[in-house]
Amino acid sequence: MEQIRLDKAISVLGEHSRRDVKKLVSQGQITVNGRVARGAEEKIDPERDEVRICGRKVSLTPHVYLMLNKPQGVVSATRDPSEKTVVDLVPRELYRRDIFPAGRLDKDTTGFVLLTNDGALAHRILSPKNHIPKTYIAVLDRPVDQKAVELFAAGMDLGDGEICRPALLAEEPSWEVQPAARIVLREGLYHQIKRMFAKTDRKVLALRRIAMGGVALDPELAPGCCRELTAEERELLTRETADYSTCTRGLE
Ligand code: URA
Protein backbone atom coordinates (compact mmCIF):
# COMPACT_ATOMS: atom_id res chain seq x y z
CA MET A 1 0.00 0.00 0.00
CA GLU A 2 1.02 3.59 -0.60
CA GLN A 3 2.97 5.25 2.22
CA ILE A 4 1.13 8.00 4.08
CA ARG A 5 1.92 10.41 6.90
CA LEU A 6 1.61 8.99 10.39
CA ASP A 7 -0.65 11.84 11.60
CA LYS A 8 -2.98 11.39 8.62
CA ALA A 9 -3.15 7.61 9.05
CA ILE A 10 -4.05 7.95 12.73
CA SER A 11 -6.41 10.93 12.49
CA VAL A 12 -8.71 9.25 9.93
CA LEU A 13 -9.60 6.67 12.60
CA GLY A 14 -11.45 9.45 14.41
CA GLU A 15 -9.99 9.08 17.90
CA HIS A 16 -7.01 11.46 17.63
CA SER A 17 -6.62 14.74 15.74
CA ARG A 18 -3.42 15.53 13.86
CA ARG A 19 -2.53 17.91 16.68
CA ASP A 20 -2.96 15.04 19.23
CA VAL A 21 -0.65 12.88 17.14
CA LYS A 22 2.02 15.56 17.07
CA LYS A 23 1.84 15.86 20.85
CA LEU A 24 1.92 12.11 21.40
CA VAL A 25 4.91 11.78 19.08
CA SER A 26 6.79 14.51 20.96
CA GLN A 27 6.05 12.61 24.19
CA GLY A 28 7.47 9.43 22.68
CA GLN A 29 4.09 7.70 23.04
CA ILE A 30 3.85 6.46 19.46
CA THR A 31 6.01 3.64 18.13
CA VAL A 32 6.45 2.35 14.58
CA ASN A 33 7.68 -1.23 14.32
CA GLY A 34 8.93 -1.13 17.89
CA ARG A 35 10.87 2.18 17.76
CA VAL A 36 9.69 5.61 18.82
CA ALA A 37 8.15 7.55 15.91
CA ARG A 38 10.47 10.19 14.43
CA GLY A 39 7.77 12.76 13.75
CA ALA A 40 4.09 13.21 12.95
CA GLU A 41 5.02 13.59 9.29
CA GLU A 42 6.90 10.27 9.17
CA LYS A 43 5.68 8.12 6.27
CA ILE A 44 4.31 4.69 7.11
CA ASP A 45 2.67 1.81 5.25
CA PRO A 46 -0.71 1.30 7.00
CA GLU A 47 -0.90 -2.32 5.79
CA ARG A 48 2.57 -3.40 6.90
CA ASP A 49 3.88 -1.21 9.66
CA GLU A 50 2.96 -1.91 13.26
CA VAL A 51 1.94 1.29 15.00
CA ARG A 52 1.29 1.50 18.74
CA ILE A 53 -0.16 4.42 20.67
CA CYS A 54 0.71 4.32 24.38
CA GLY A 55 1.60 0.66 23.86
CA ARG A 56 -1.77 -0.19 22.27
CA LYS A 57 -1.60 -1.63 18.76
CA VAL A 58 -3.79 0.21 16.25
CA SER A 59 -4.96 -1.02 12.87
CA LEU A 60 -4.44 1.77 10.35
CA THR A 61 -5.89 0.34 7.16
CA PRO A 62 -8.75 2.58 5.97
CA HIS A 63 -11.11 -0.36 5.54
CA VAL A 64 -11.62 -3.08 8.09
CA TYR A 65 -13.24 -6.44 7.48
CA LEU A 66 -14.14 -8.27 10.67
CA MET A 67 -15.55 -11.71 11.28
CA LEU A 68 -17.67 -11.60 14.43
CA ASN A 69 -19.04 -14.69 16.18
CA LYS A 70 -22.29 -13.11 17.29
CA PRO A 71 -23.66 -14.40 20.59
CA GLN A 72 -27.37 -14.57 21.42
CA GLY A 73 -29.04 -11.43 22.74
CA VAL A 74 -27.11 -8.93 20.62
CA VAL A 75 -28.80 -6.91 17.87
CA SER A 76 -27.41 -6.50 14.34
CA ALA A 77 -27.29 -2.72 14.34
CA THR A 78 -24.68 -0.01 14.67
CA ARG A 79 -26.32 1.54 17.72
CA ASP A 80 -29.38 0.97 19.84
CA PRO A 81 -30.72 2.93 22.82
CA SER A 82 -31.29 -0.13 25.00
CA GLU A 83 -29.71 -3.24 23.44
CA LYS A 84 -26.11 -4.31 23.00
CA THR A 85 -25.17 -4.19 19.30
CA VAL A 86 -22.71 -6.15 17.19
CA VAL A 87 -20.65 -2.94 16.83
CA ASP A 88 -20.40 -2.68 20.64
CA LEU A 89 -18.47 -5.98 20.54
CA VAL A 90 -15.67 -4.62 18.34
CA PRO A 91 -12.47 -4.13 20.34
CA ARG A 92 -10.98 -0.63 20.38
CA GLU A 93 -7.99 -1.46 18.19
CA LEU A 94 -10.23 -2.69 15.35
CA TYR A 95 -12.97 -0.10 15.74
CA ARG A 96 -13.80 2.48 13.07
CA ARG A 97 -16.39 5.21 13.39
CA ASP A 98 -18.18 4.09 10.22
CA ILE A 99 -18.27 0.35 10.81
CA PHE A 100 -21.57 -1.50 10.27
CA PRO A 101 -22.85 -5.07 9.89
CA ALA A 102 -23.12 -6.27 6.27
CA GLY A 103 -26.41 -8.10 6.77
CA ARG A 104 -28.50 -8.83 9.81
CA LEU A 105 -29.06 -11.81 12.04
CA ASP A 106 -31.99 -12.01 14.44
CA LYS A 107 -31.26 -11.19 18.07
CA ASP A 108 -31.39 -14.88 19.02
CA THR A 109 -29.36 -16.10 16.01
CA THR A 110 -25.66 -16.73 16.57
CA GLY A 111 -22.63 -16.95 14.32
CA PHE A 112 -20.94 -15.15 11.46
CA VAL A 113 -21.58 -11.43 11.08
CA LEU A 114 -19.33 -9.48 8.77
CA LEU A 115 -18.54 -5.99 10.05
CA THR A 116 -16.94 -3.52 7.72
CA ASN A 117 -16.71 0.14 6.75
CA ASP A 118 -16.30 -0.79 3.08
CA GLY A 119 -19.68 0.21 1.65
CA ALA A 120 -18.85 -1.17 -1.80
CA LEU A 121 -18.13 -4.65 -0.49
CA ALA A 122 -21.21 -4.62 1.74
CA HIS A 123 -23.30 -3.63 -1.26
CA ARG A 124 -21.87 -6.51 -3.28
CA ILE A 125 -22.71 -8.92 -0.49
CA LEU A 126 -26.21 -7.63 0.07
CA SER A 127 -27.36 -6.64 -3.41
CA PRO A 128 -30.37 -8.77 -4.43
CA LYS A 129 -28.71 -9.15 -7.82
CA ASN A 130 -25.48 -10.37 -6.38
CA HIS A 131 -26.41 -12.16 -3.17
CA ILE A 132 -23.77 -14.55 -2.04
CA PRO A 133 -24.85 -17.84 -0.45
CA LYS A 134 -25.07 -17.91 3.32
CA THR A 135 -24.93 -21.17 5.22
CA TYR A 136 -26.80 -21.84 8.47
CA ILE A 137 -27.30 -24.69 10.89
CA ALA A 138 -30.73 -24.92 12.49
CA VAL A 139 -31.62 -27.09 15.45
CA LEU A 140 -35.24 -28.17 14.97
CA ASP A 141 -38.07 -29.69 16.94
CA ARG A 142 -38.19 -32.62 14.49
CA PRO A 143 -35.97 -33.91 11.69
CA VAL A 144 -36.24 -32.76 8.10
CA ASP A 145 -37.70 -35.11 5.51
CA GLN A 146 -37.63 -35.31 1.73
CA LYS A 147 -40.80 -33.25 1.42
CA ALA A 148 -39.22 -30.34 3.34
CA VAL A 149 -36.06 -30.60 1.21
CA GLU A 150 -38.19 -30.35 -1.93
CA LEU A 151 -40.21 -27.42 -0.61
CA PHE A 152 -37.00 -25.48 0.15
CA ALA A 153 -35.55 -26.38 -3.28
CA ALA A 154 -38.69 -25.33 -5.16
CA GLY A 155 -38.62 -21.68 -4.02
CA MET A 156 -41.09 -21.48 -1.20
CA ASP A 157 -44.11 -19.19 -1.14
CA LEU A 158 -44.16 -17.64 2.33
CA GLY A 159 -47.80 -16.81 1.89
CA ASP A 160 -47.58 -13.05 2.22
CA GLY A 161 -46.53 -12.26 -1.32
CA GLU A 162 -42.93 -13.23 -0.73
CA ILE A 163 -41.49 -16.04 -2.83
CA CYS A 164 -38.12 -17.35 -1.70
CA ARG A 165 -35.38 -18.26 -4.09
CA PRO A 166 -34.58 -21.98 -4.20
CA ALA A 167 -32.72 -22.88 -1.03
CA LEU A 168 -30.69 -25.88 -0.10
CA LEU A 169 -31.78 -27.99 2.89
CA ALA A 170 -30.09 -31.12 4.19
CA GLU A 171 -29.86 -33.08 7.41
CA GLU A 172 -26.81 -32.25 9.53
CA PRO A 173 -26.28 -35.51 11.43
CA SER A 174 -22.90 -34.54 12.90
CA TRP A 175 -24.09 -31.37 14.67
CA GLU A 176 -23.78 -31.60 18.48
CA VAL A 177 -27.51 -30.99 19.07
CA GLN A 178 -30.08 -33.01 17.15
CA PRO A 179 -32.15 -32.94 15.03
CA ALA A 180 -30.23 -30.40 12.99
CA ALA A 181 -30.24 -29.22 9.39
CA ARG A 182 -28.00 -27.22 7.08
CA ILE A 183 -29.57 -24.46 5.01
CA VAL A 184 -28.00 -22.42 2.22
CA LEU A 185 -29.83 -19.21 1.26
CA ARG A 186 -29.03 -16.72 -1.47
CA GLU A 187 -31.07 -13.92 0.05
CA GLY A 188 -31.98 -12.57 3.46
CA LEU A 189 -35.70 -12.03 3.91
CA TYR A 190 -37.03 -11.12 7.36
CA HIS A 191 -36.89 -14.20 9.69
CA GLN A 192 -36.56 -16.22 6.50
CA ILE A 193 -35.38 -19.56 7.86
CA LYS A 194 -37.81 -19.55 10.77
CA ARG A 195 -40.67 -18.73 8.41
CA MET A 196 -39.61 -21.38 5.89
CA PHE A 197 -39.49 -24.07 8.57
CA ALA A 198 -42.82 -22.90 9.97
CA LYS A 199 -44.26 -23.58 6.52
CA THR A 200 -43.10 -27.19 6.86
CA ASP A 201 -44.56 -27.43 10.41
CA ARG A 202 -41.19 -27.27 12.12
CA LYS A 203 -39.89 -24.94 14.78
CA VAL A 204 -36.36 -23.56 14.81
CA LEU A 205 -34.95 -23.99 18.32
CA ALA A 206 -31.52 -22.51 17.55
CA LEU A 207 -29.98 -20.93 14.49
CA ARG A 208 -26.34 -20.29 13.67
CA ARG A 209 -24.74 -18.81 10.55
CA ILE A 210 -21.60 -20.77 9.78
CA ALA A 211 -20.45 -19.30 6.45
CA MET A 212 -20.79 -16.35 4.09
CA GLY A 213 -19.83 -17.23 0.55
CA GLY A 214 -16.77 -19.46 0.74
CA VAL A 215 -15.67 -18.05 4.10
CA ALA A 216 -16.45 -20.26 7.08
CA LEU A 217 -16.88 -18.99 10.63
CA ASP A 218 -13.57 -19.57 12.40
CA PRO A 219 -14.13 -22.40 14.92
CA GLU A 220 -11.47 -20.82 17.17
CA LEU A 221 -13.49 -17.60 17.48
CA ALA A 222 -15.34 -17.61 20.82
CA PRO A 223 -18.87 -16.13 20.97
CA GLY A 224 -18.65 -12.34 21.21
CA CYS A 225 -15.16 -12.21 19.69
CA CYS A 226 -14.07 -10.93 16.32
CA ARG A 227 -10.97 -10.93 14.19
CA GLU A 228 -9.88 -9.37 10.90
CA LEU A 229 -10.50 -11.42 7.78
CA THR A 230 -7.33 -12.82 6.24
CA ALA A 231 -6.35 -11.50 2.80
CA GLU A 232 -7.53 -14.79 1.31
CA GLU A 233 -10.92 -14.57 3.01
CA ARG A 234 -11.33 -11.00 1.83
CA GLU A 235 -10.54 -11.96 -1.71
CA LEU A 236 -13.04 -14.81 -1.60
CA LEU A 237 -15.79 -12.46 -0.46
CA THR A 238 -15.03 -9.74 -2.98
CA ARG A 239 -15.17 -12.14 -5.92
CA GLU A 240 -18.03 -11.25 -8.25
CA THR A 241 -19.58 -14.67 -7.97
CA ALA A 242 -19.02 -16.60 -4.76
CA ASP A 243 -18.21 -20.25 -5.20
CA TYR A 244 -21.45 -22.03 -4.35
CA SER A 245 -19.74 -25.42 -4.23
CA THR A 246 -17.66 -24.45 -1.18
CA CYS A 247 -20.86 -23.86 0.80
CA THR A 248 -22.62 -27.00 -0.29
CA ARG A 249 -19.63 -29.31 0.13
CA GLY A 250 -20.66 -32.49 1.89
CA LEU A 251 -24.30 -32.16 0.95
CA GLU A 252 -24.19 -34.15 -2.27
N1 URA B 1 -33.25 -16.56 9.01
C1 URA B 1 -33.85 -16.30 10.20
O1 URA B 1 -34.99 -16.71 10.44
N2 URA B 1 -33.13 -15.60 11.11
C2 URA B 1 -31.87 -15.16 10.90
O2 URA B 1 -31.28 -14.54 11.79
C3 URA B 1 -31.27 -15.43 9.66
C4 URA B 1 -31.98 -16.14 8.73
Side-chain angles (χ1 to χ4, degrees):
M1 190 171 173
E2 193 195 336
Q3 298 236 320
I4 56 170
R5 286 174 59 124
L6 184 61
D7 54 358
K8 184 169 181 206
I10 293 176
S11 62
V12 293
L13 307 181
E15 216 182 313
H16 302 281
S17 66
R18 285 190 171 199
R19 187 192 290 249
D20 294 339
V21 176
K22 201 167 175 187
K23 195 166 163 203
L24 286 164
V25 168
S26 69
Q27 293 169 345
Q29 299 278 32
I30 300 187
T31 58
V32 179
N33 300 325
R35 54 140 183 88
V36 173
R38 295 188 189 102
E41 65 293 337
E42 176 178 344
K43 291 278 181 76
I44 55 130
D45 181 337
E47 297 251 330
R48 288 164 190 260
D49 292 327
E50 186 194 275
V51 173
R52 288 180 181 266
I53 304 175
C54 303
R56 178 171 60 87
K57 192 173 162 200
V58 284
S59 169
L60 295 178
T61 49
H63 285 143
V64 285
Y65 306 90
L66 306 177
M67 174 191 290
L68 167 73
N69 184 359
K70 178 189 168 306
Q72 276 199 344
V74 172
V75 295
S76 296
T78 46
R79 61 180 78 85
D80 189 281
S82 52
E83 310 273 11
K84 187 171 236 186
T85 74
V86 286
V87 171
D88 293 334
L89 298 174
V90 177
R92 221 170 139 200
E93 65 275 14
L94 295 174
Y95 180 78
R96 297 287 186 281
R97 253 183 320 199
D98 48 358
I99 209 165
F100 63 95
R104 286 165 187 273
L105 291 180
D106 296 339
K107 188 173 167 184
D108 59 350
T109 301
T110 61
F112 193 166
V113 171
L114 177 74
L115 292 159
T116 185
N117 56 349
D118 180 347
L121 175 73
H123 179 75
R124 285 163 65 97
I125 290 173
L126 300 175
S127 160
K129 200 173 69 191
N130 218 7
H131 259 181
I132 63 162
K134 293 164 204 105
T135 309
Y136 298 83
I137 302 289
V139 176
L140 302 166
D141 60 345
R142 64 189 181 94
V144 294
D145 56 14
Q146 190 53 30
K147 189 164 167 233
V149 171
E150 284 164 15
L151 281 169
F152 271 59
M156 194 181 282
D157 180 351
L158 290 177
D160 46 9
E162 282 189 291
I163 311 282
C164 303
R165 291 182 182 192
L168 208 139
L169 171 63
E171 262 184 285
E172 186 64 29
S174 54
W175 198 248
E176 65 226 36
V177 186
Q178 289 295 325
R182 177 176 292 233
I183 307 99
V184 183
L185 297 183
R186 283 185 171 266
E187 62 198 335
L189 305 176
Y190 180 66
H191 292 335
Q192 183 168 349
I193 291 177
K194 291 169 188 158
R195 288 158 72 205
M196 289 175 91
F197 276 116
K199 280 266 156 192
T200 76
D201 292 321
R202 285 173 180 80
K203 194 167 160 47
V204 174
L205 304 179
L207 187 59
R208 182 168 182 74
R209 182 152 72 195
I210 59 159
M212 293 181 74
V215 181
L217 178 66
D218 186 339
E220 303 288 310
L221 207 54
C225 292
C226 65
R227 68 153 170 85
E228 285 191 273
L229 293 188
T230 63
E232 196 192 26
E233 289 170 339
R234 228 161 57 202
E235 211 172 287
L236 261 172
L237 273 183
T238 38
R239 266 203 231 139
E240 193 67 46
T241 323
D243 183 2
Y244 198 58
S245 64
T246 54
C247 301
T248 56
R249 198 181 292 143
L251 295 179
E252 300 83 15

